Amino acid sequence: MNTLYEKYKNLKIDGSWIGLASGGRMPCFCTPIGAEIIGWDNGIHYCFIEGFGDMVFCVNPETCCDYFVYPIARNFYDFLGLILAAGGTNTLQQLIWWDKKMFDDFVNCPEEQEYKARPEVKSVLDTIRKGMDVALIDTPFEYIKDLQSNFPYEQISFTNEYYDILGIECPNGTVPED
């Protein structure tokens, strides 16, 4: 278990304000084998995956890109620094399919600014900042794009259900049932 993540859980904050709600929801078809789910934002969830160290991943069952699972931070410390920079996970999970202009437009839109200014959001972010002694990552777009560009996606293991639902051949060479 990641000790920094344990420290975060001990803050007992309402992570739903930043897209990192706790809870016992069920994994979905694209949750990788060996995933330890650390938070939820509706159906999207964040996890560590066995074999990838402390790297934090986003699992998005309704993805807009080629991947249902993708890395968003090298470790939990950086993940929190990215959340502090972005004001929550919503921005982070969408970066995989955005270019820089889309990112800038989103973070500067009035609705996003209003949400980040809410007292509940500010309180959660302040608690993380003070309670975790985390440094804000100044360049979240570049950080995540760099991490994702060099990641070996083919090394993530999925259940047979994943391949069955997508109708693609399993890595073991079997074909999903019709």
Side-chain angles (χ1 to χ4, degrees):
M1 173 74 54
N2 183 302
T3 56
L4 191 61
Y5 173 60
E6 285 298 317
K7 185 176 177 182
Y8 166 81
K9 288 190 336 186
N10 288 332
L11 293 175
K12 303 208 183 301
I13 59 175
D14 182 358
S16 65
W17 287 105
I18 57 168
L20 200 57
S22 59
R25 298 182 184 156
M26 296 298 295
C28 64
F29 79 97
C30 59
T31 302
I33 294 172
E36 177 189 351
I37 298 171
I38 60 174
W40 293 86
D41 185 11
N42 296 313
I44 296 170
H45 45 292
Y46 302 91
C47 65
F48 301 115
I49 302 174
E50 190 176 315
F52 290 94
D54 291 333
M55 189 172 284
V56 177
F57 292 84
C58 177
V59 179
N60 187 344
E62 296 182 11
T63 189
C64 295
C65 68
D66 294 334
Y67 305 104
F68 289 91
V69 180
Y70 39 89
I72 56 173
R74 288 178 183 87
N75 53 56
F76 194 70
Y77 181 87
D78 285 1
F79 183 54
L80 292 177
L82 290 163
I83 287 173
L84 291 176
T89 61
N90 187 31
T91 306
L92 307 178
Q93 57 94 358
Q94 297 184 75
L95 278 177
I96 191 148
W97 62 277
W98 281 351
D99 61 24
K100 181 71 166 133
K101 181 179 179 340
M102 293 169 82
F103 169 78
D104 289 339
D105 288 350
F106 183 82
V107 297
N108 293 312
C109 77
E111 297 83 12
E112 188 65 12
Q113 294 298 317
E114 286 174 25
Y115 185 80
K116 287 192 270 189
R118 292 183 67 152
E120 301 89 347
V121 174
K122 290 175 106 176
S123 174
V124 169
L125 295 173
D126 286 343
T127 300
I128 291 170
R129 190 176 290 111
K130 293 172 186 168
M132 301 294 294
D133 194 30
V134 173
L136 176 127
I137 292 182
D138 292 326
T139 55
F141 181 85
E142 292 78 6
Y143 173 102
I144 292 174
K145 286 296 190 177
D146 179 62
L147 177 64
Q148 292 173 345
S149 71
N150 298 311
F151 185 76
Y153 292 91
E154 70 282 355
Q155 292 181 12
I156 299 174
S157 297
F158 295 97
T159 64
N160 286 341
E161 177 187 21
Y162 171 84
Y163 299 102
D164 289 345
I165 287 174
L166 296 179
I168 57 177
E169 184 177 308
C170 298
N172 64 8
T174 61
V175 178
E177 298 177 13
D178 291 327

